[in-house]
Amino acid sequence: MSDETPICSAKGCRAPAVWVLAWNNPKIHTPERRKTWLACEEHREHLSQFLGVRGFLKDVVKFADYQDPEGP
Ligand SMILES: [Zn+2]
């Protein structure tokens, strides 16, 4: 039986996701496109820095508050 708990996107991390990082790579995505990574409390800063230094990071929202603009 698998539970529905989403897991942090950081490599090797199995912690439940608390944050959603919405990002976009302008070289490969149209401007309105959003990719998402999930992050636990521990990895939110690390992952958002990774995206931030590349200029990809658009938004960081609580997982509970996140709504995919393209729907489920
Ligand atoms: Zn993590």
Side-chain angles (χ1 to χ4, degrees):
M1 204 163 87
S2 66
D3 65 10
E4 300 280 319
T5 308
I7 299 297
C8 175
S9 300
K11 203 169 189 177
C13 182
R14 304 297 299 161
V18 182
W19 297 94
V20 177
L21 283 63
W23 60 278
N24 172 283
N25 180 347
K27 287 183 181 159
I28 57 174
H29 300 127
T30 53
E32 62 276 9
R33 180 83 185 278
R34 287 294 177 273
K35 300 290 287 179
T36 53
W37 280 358
L38 302 174
C40 65
E41 287 290 358
E42 189 187 341
H43 287 116
R44 178 178 64 97
E45 195 175 338
H46 174 78
L47 292 173
S48 55
Q49 267 186 15
F50 181 93
L51 294 168
V53 294
R54 288 161 178 78
F56 294 173
L57 188 62
K58 298 298 181 188
D59 222 353
V60 179
V61 289
K62 277 272 190 184
F63 182 80
D65 297 336
Y66 182 72
Q67 293 187 336
D68 190 334
E70 291 171 12

